[in-house]
Amino acid sequence: MTSSVEPLVAVVTTDLSAVTRGRFVAESKLQKTAATGVGWLQANLSLTPFNSIVDPNPWGSSGDLRLIPDLKARFRTTRTGSATPFDMVAGDIVDLDGSPWLGCTRTMLKNALVELKDATGLSVIAAFEHEFHVADGGFAPAHSMSFAALRRADPFAPNLMAALEEAGVAPEVVIAEFGDEQFEVTHEPADALTAADRAVAIREITRELARNAGWRASFAPKTAPNAVGNGVHIHFSFVDEAGKPVTYDPAQPGGLSAKAGAFCAGVLRHLPGITAMTASSVSSYYRLKPHSWSSSYTWLADRDREASLRICPTVTIGGRDPARQYNIEYRAADATGNPYLSLAAVVRAGLEGLKAELPSPPLVTGDPTLMSEAERAKLGLVRLPETLPAALDALVADSTVTGWFAPVFIETFVGLKRHEAERLAGLDPASICDLYRTLY
Ligand code: GLU
Ligand code: MG
């Protein structure tokens, strides 16, 4: 569809509720806007997913910021079926003098990446794999992952692929997943900041396309208590300063290089503390349960989908080199977590492991729920927090994790999330899933 009006570009930021918010400017004004950005305000960091603001919050009613678009993070496509193009640019929040604002999660990710590189010479290559439900597609029943399951939604999948391609997201595959009316979309690995920007674009483009089909795409971690969970699997690997992949070492167990192993050990050590940042809603904890192929213990495994850190497969067909394919996925994440903050937390935790030169964690096989307490302890398996309040307690209790952030940022995050849990305290799981299904 075309329109004779001048299209708008959204300058956006993604907040602690993982909601992408922003301000729109005329396309012809974007270059000018890039210098000083658009207005933003501190208290927006305390916005809940319920269109309310936590009160009291550390920010109050005063204060102003600027949201500066990063023109390299622009996603534009005419293919969502809307009257005007989908056009968004991710931005960084700064103070009025241009200095980075301590509550900007995109900046937090950039800083974490710089610190990792300064300390170790490593850069992160990442990809976000998203699962979602089309909640009200009204589809005829179909078998899981079947040809028919994807075709019944036609032309949704090819339209999504085309829109993501045009937007520059570099999609890889769109599939019908295991769950009823569940789909998955992946993108090509990229530098970590680009990957997080792509995660934002994927969520919004998918939702917009579904909306234009008269449906609702929901990335909620559980669309119903018994539904198959919607995970966000964050894939990561490392390159050195010469761009050489350094995650793989065939001489090590599972092919995990010593450096990548130290990183993984750091992630597992701080996993209970960072879970609230990567799985940030009440319903997230209905997903993080054993036997649901999500994540439930501080567990590294070679190609096991129950693990929190899973070494992904590499393909050697035709003599292909595993080194560049080799990556690990962090599975304790979902789309109620801010992608920048999620990846920043994983990188910071991994950096702790590298700085402490931790040994690679053991590769665990088997079912932790069938192990004795002593067996689990021997393998370092700790159950992840089982509720959002427990995850917030674990966050606050890990002074290493809280130390990565400004105290007022932690105060804001914990206050926001405690408010979210308290607000839903009287509801049963089915009602809570219903609510998140419409919000995400
Ligand atoms: N749906 C599962 C989750 O909640 C993941 C299934 C898979 O491995 O793709 O994370
Ligand atoms: Mg999947």
Side-chain angles (χ1 to χ4, degrees):
M1 250 184 275
T2 53
S3 164
S4 56
V5 295
E6 181 178 0
L8 303 180
V9 188
V11 182
V12 300
T13 178
T14 299
D15 69 10
L16 301 185
S17 299
V19 175
T20 297
R21 311 187 200 249
R23 298 203 169 165
F24 289 79
V25 297
E27 199 176 7
S28 57
K29 303 265 167 58
L30 180 63
Q31 294 297 330
K32 192 166 157 251
T33 304
T36 55
V38 295
W40 206 247
L41 53 147
Q42 286 86 341
N44 281 358
L45 209 57
S46 292
L47 279 165
T48 74
F50 318 115
N51 293 343
S52 60
I53 196 151
V54 181
D55 186 24
N57 64 65
W59 310 103
S61 54
S62 64
D64 287 277
L65 299 162
R66 303 298 290 178
L67 174 57
I68 311 276
D70 177 348
L71 298 182
K72 294 190 296 302
R74 183 173 178 187
F75 299 92
R76 183 182 189 279
T77 171
T78 56
R79 292 177 170 272
T80 64
S82 294
T84 63
F86 174 105
D87 202 349
M88 64 153 58
V89 191
D92 296 316
I93 310 175
V94 298
D95 280 307
L96 299 183
D97 64 0
S99 49
W101 183 51
L102 54 80
C104 175
T105 56
R106 195 167 185 268
T107 305
M108 287 174 203
L109 175 56
K110 285 191 206 175
N111 291 345
L113 295 168
V114 167
E115 281 192 35
L116 176 71
K117 190 161 188 182
D118 286 351
T120 65
L122 299 179
S123 297
V124 178
I125 305 296
F128 285 73
E129 179 182 329
H130 281 89
E131 293 171 331
F132 60 96
H133 278 75
V134 174
D136 42 13
F139 303 133
H143 295 105
S144 294
M145 294 182 269
S146 67
F147 173 79
L150 198 76
R151 292 298 295 170
R152 69 189 166 161
D154 198 59
F156 178 70
N159 281 348
L160 179 57
M161 199 65 135
L164 294 174
E165 190 67 54
E166 190 186 31
V169 166
E172 272 186 334
V173 290
V174 179
I175 63 168
E177 247 287 4
F178 177 62
D180 202 19
E181 307 191 333
Q182 190 186 32
F183 299 86
E184 174 176 309
V185 58
T186 60
H187 68 86
E188 286 172 18
D191 71 88
L193 183 66
T194 300
D197 288 333
R198 286 179 179 177
V200 171
I202 285 171
R203 294 173 195 184
E204 295 304 328
I205 289 172
T206 306
R207 289 191 185 110
E208 184 163 312
L209 237 147
R211 209 159 50 230
N212 285 329
W215 310 332
R216 176 183 281 276
S218 178
F219 291 81
K222 280 280 198 180
T223 53
N226 295 326
V228 175
N230 286 323
V232 172
H233 303 158
I234 307 175
H235 294 252
F236 60 87
S237 62
F238 307 95
V239 291
D240 66 13
E241 271 158 315
K244 196 171 131 283
V246 291
T247 325
Y248 178 63
D249 178 350
Q252 299 302 321
L256 188 67
S257 71
K259 279 188 176 166
F263 186 97
C264 289
V267 174
L268 293 185
R269 176 175 284 184
H270 296 291
L271 184 52
I274 67 172
T275 305
M277 293 184 169
T278 61
S280 301
S281 69
V282 174
S283 67
S284 299
Y285 296 84
Y286 304 148
R287 172 178 164 262
L288 297 181
K289 289 190 171 155
H291 311 137
S292 53
W293 287 21
S294 57
S295 173
S296 52
Y297 285 85
T298 54
W299 175 1
L300 170 75
D302 189 8
R303 290 168 290 162
D304 186 329
R305 290 177 179 78
E306 281 279 291
S308 298
L309 288 181
R310 169 181 173 254
I311 297 173
C312 295
T314 52
V315 178
T316 48
I317 298 170
R320 279 171 176 74
D321 180 9
R324 218 163 257 287
Q325 306 165 41
Y326 190 93
N327 71 90
I328 299 120
E329 70 177 344
Y330 176 96
R331 295 173 70 86
D334 65 57
T336 63
N338 172 307
Y340 304 99
L341 184 61
S342 297
L343 196 43
V346 169
V347 169
R348 292 267 177 204
L351 177 55
E352 297 292 340
L354 280 159
K355 285 200 281 205
E357 297 180 9
L358 295 182
S360 293
L363 296 178
V364 177
T365 53
D367 182 346
T369 64
L370 301 178
M371 295 175 189
S372 67
E373 197 74 50
E375 281 172 302
R376 283 197 294 261
K378 201 163 152 240
L379 294 166
L381 293 173
V382 174
R383 180 72 173 91
L384 301 192
E386 296 187 47
T387 62
L388 181 59
L392 294 168
D393 290 345
L395 165 62
V396 171
D398 190 334
S399 57
T400 304
V401 175
T402 56
W404 303 329
F405 304 94
V408 69
F409 176 77
I410 292 294
E411 186 188 340
T412 305
F413 182 84
V414 172
L416 174 69
K417 294 292 155 187
R418 285 213 197 284
H419 170 93
E420 187 166 331
E422 280 158 21
R423 186 166 166 149
L424 305 185
L427 295 179
D428 58 70
S431 312
I432 289 173
C433 291
D434 272 346
L435 180 62
Y436 282 107
R437 191 180 65 231
T438 61
L439 294 174
Y440 287 91

